């Protein structure tokens, strides 16, 4: 890979990008330490967040299924009665 291709990919010369990343890593490390956050805690928080979203999604689908069954208990008999009455009128 040519130096210009690498520079284009990185968004600057490799040395500048490394220095920028080192500086940003240092600043973020200071902020995380001041907030008393550990990187592993952040990973655990992210995993817990995804798990909660996953569980809420399936819980919501279960609730939708319950609504469907409750509605069908009312709608299907009314529909069946209306169809039977309509058949009686056509004859």
């Amino acid at each position: 890979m040519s130096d210009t291709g690498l520079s284009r990919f990185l968004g600057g010369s490799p040395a500048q990008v490394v220095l920028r990343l080192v500086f940003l890593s240092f600043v973020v490390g200071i902020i995380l330490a001041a907030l008393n956050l550990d990187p592993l805690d952040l990973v655990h928080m992210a995993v817990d967040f995804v798990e909660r979203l996953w569980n809420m999604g399936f819980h919501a689908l279960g609730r939708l299924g319950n609504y469907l069954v409750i509605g069908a208990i009312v709608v299907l008999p009314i529909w069946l009665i209306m169809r039977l009455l309509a058949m009686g009128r056509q004859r």
Side-chain angles (χ1 to χ4, degrees), residues 62-80:
R63 289 178 61 194
L64 287 176
N66 287 342
Y67 294 150
L68 178 69
V69 170
I70 291 170
I73 289 171
V74 174
V75 169
L76 290 179
I78 292 173
W79 173 79
L80 182 62

Side-chain angles (χ1 to χ4, degrees), residues 43-65:
V43 171
H44 291 300
M45 287 170 49
V47 169
D48 289 341
F49 177 73
V50 171
E51 285 178 354
R52 276 186 279 142
L53 281 178
W54 182 269
N55 291 334
M56 282 178 18
F58 283 115
H59 182 69
L61 287 177
R63 289 178 61 194
L64 287 176

